[in-house]
Amino acid sequence: MKGFRLASVLRFRTSLEEAMRRAAAEKRERLQAETSERDALLLRRRDHIREVGEKLSRGMNVSENILYIDYLVRMDDEMVLRKKAMEAAEEAAEIARGRLIEAVRQRKVLYRLQEKHAEAREAERLRRETGLFDEIAVNRFNRDRRDEPYEE
């Protein structure tokens, strides 16, 4: 029996799986970065709202009030953009995860085939070895029998 014919395909699938694993890790890192940016923006927004509330309670002029409101509106717009970026990163991470799962599945199929091939080779080797031992035993039996004197 020859070597495993799909060894090159298995090596390719393994390298493909590693590439998919790296891509999925990068997507997860990007998602974490987007989430932390959004969380930081949310904290900044809450601080600014609290600050505006304090200034309003102490008294604030109209131009300063308009300036804060415009800033908060722009911050809300940025929050919407951050949310969309986070959703896109989430979707990309999920797609990368699905591709990784498929690559792992395909590699495992080939790995199982390789194991079955190795088992078949071992069984063939044991069958040939057993046949050789049987032949040696028969030859020894016939030689011993031939060397015995014939008695009637």
Side-chain angles (χ1 to χ4, degrees), residues 112-128:
R112 277 189 233 109
L113 283 175
Q114 183 183 30
E115 287 177 342
K116 284 183 181 181
H117 181 264
E119 289 171 2
R121 284 183 72 179
E122 181 64 17
E124 177 66 22
R125 186 191 64 78
L126 286 174
R127 187 188 61 76
R128 277 190 263 129

Side-chain angles (χ1 to χ4, degrees), residues 8 10 20-21 26 43 51 53-54 98 110-111 122:
S8 61
L10 179 59
M20 295 288 181
R21 196 174 301 280
E26 288 171 5
L43 287 175
E51 185 180 325
E54 289 172 0
L110 286 172
Y111 185 72
E122 181 64 17

